[in-house]
Amino acid sequence: MSEGPVDAPYDPAEAGAHRPSEAGTHRPSKGDAHRPSKGERTRARILDSAAELFSRSGFHAVSVRDIAAHAGLTHAGLLHHFPGKESLLIEVLERRDRIDARELFPGIARPGAPVPPPAERLRLLIGVVARNTRTPGLVALYAKLSAEATDPAHPAHRYFTRRYRLLRAELSDLVRALQDESGRPGDLDPAVVAGQLLALMDGLQTQWLLEPGAVPMEELVRDFLDRLGLLPADGPEGADRTGEADGAGAAGVSG
């Protein structure tokens, strides 16, 4: 079942549009706050299965029936929760990104939320790189799907285009803030550094997937930042500050 390309891929500012608004919805009490409904558990199981199959075989080689079977559902049962493979793909990608948006770009994910100091945001970013070494399935998912999505006809093409545009802008702002904080602004173009950092992280992930033992991603990203004078000097970078769950929306900055 095909829906055609999805017109509204992830935008942190619009993340709430994919969930019921707070007004007029049930607010769980303390007793049931951590008890998802049967439908929510089924949706999560479907998303876990889709993420695993997409990361293994890519988007085009996987069918809705494949995902349903992997999740222990009938084809009709899956379609009760998701209208088709394209919307399921976007939800898999968004689930991963929403968590990192809350950590790294709180001002966008939650307008008005306090933004951590620049050095802390950089530590969180390096923590994402470190965590990616523990979530190979999701790294493979993004590497495979971002390559597929260079085709303008791919349902995730617009998603990845907007995602990289957002990341370039946010990382440019972060580099600029780090320069201002260090008192050495002006000697680096923040937009250029942001593009270089994203390219480095994506390229390292591809090499790491091919030969994990030969590519220390975190160490190489630290080295790049250190050479530019952007690496904080006041302690470890907090590699474990963000979650590690491979199937529940893990790191999303680069892939």
Side-chain angles (χ1 to χ4, degrees), residues 140-189:
L141 172 70
Y142 265 68
K144 189 180 294 290
L145 292 178
S146 62
E148 287 185 355
T150 57
D151 178 358
H154 194 282
H157 177 80
R158 187 166 177 257
Y159 168 90
F160 277 105
T161 299
R162 292 178 64 182
R163 182 175 183 271
Y164 276 112
R165 188 181 300 140
L166 170 71
L167 289 173
R168 287 193 299 268
E170 287 300 310
L171 290 177
S172 294
D173 288 346
L174 175 57
V175 171
R176 189 175 297 110
L178 288 165
Q179 290 176 315
D180 291 343
E181 191 174 68
S182 69
R184 299 193 303 273
D187 51 344
L188 297 173
D189 183 335

Side-chain angles (χ1 to χ4, degrees), residues 19 36-52 67 70-71 73 78 81-82 88 91-92 95 98 246-249:
R19 295 288 181 271
S37 68
K38 180 180 179 181
E40 290 170 335
R41 293 194 301 270
T42 301
R43 283 177 61 88
R45 191 166 80 248
I46 293 169
L47 291 172
D48 288 343
S49 293
E52 180 176 339
I67 298 169
H70 191 278
L73 298 170
L78 185 149
H81 296 277
F82 296 94
L88 184 53
E91 182 64 24
V92 166
R95 183 176 66 159
R98 276 192 292 267
D246 187 82

Side-chain angles (χ1 to χ4, degrees), residues 17-177:
H18 298 269
R19 295 288 181 271
S21 63
E22 292 187 358
T25 60
H26 168 68
R27 288 181 176 275
S29 65
K30 289 184 179 180
D32 62 6
H34 300 291
R35 299 182 62 176
S37 68
K38 180 180 179 181
E40 290 170 335
R41 293 194 301 270
T42 301
R43 283 177 61 88
R45 191 166 80 248
I46 293 169
L47 291 172
D48 288 343
S49 293
E52 180 176 339
L53 295 178
F54 287 151
S55 66
R56 183 190 307 165
S57 304
F59 174 77
H60 294 297
V62 175
S63 70
V64 171
R65 293 184 185 279
D66 293 333
I67 298 169
H70 191 278
L73 298 170
T74 64
H75 181 246
L78 185 149
L79 294 179
H80 174 74
H81 296 277
F82 296 94
K85 190 170 71 163
E86 287 81 6
S87 64
L88 184 53
L89 169 66
I90 298 303
E91 182 64 24
V92 166
L93 296 172
E94 288 184 1
R95 183 176 66 159
R96 169 184 161 118
D97 277 348
R98 276 192 292 267
I99 289 178
D100 282 342
R102 289 196 297 268
E103 292 285 347
L104 297 173
F105 314 125
I108 290 181
R110 294 170 293 168
V115 177
E120 177 65 14
R121 293 176 66 195
L122 187 62
R123 289 188 181 94
L124 289 168
L125 177 66
I126 294 173
V128 165
V129 177
R131 188 191 54 208
N132 279 352
T133 64
R134 300 188 291 274
T135 58
L138 284 172
V139 173
L141 172 70
Y142 265 68
K144 189 180 294 290
L145 292 178
S146 62
E148 287 185 355
T150 57
D151 178 358
H154 194 282
H157 177 80
R158 187 166 177 257
Y159 168 90
F160 277 105
T161 299
R162 292 178 64 182
R163 182 175 183 271
Y164 276 112
R165 188 181 300 140
L166 170 71
L167 289 173
R168 287 193 299 268
E170 287 300 310
L171 290 177
S172 294
D173 288 346
L174 175 57
V175 171
R176 189 175 297 110

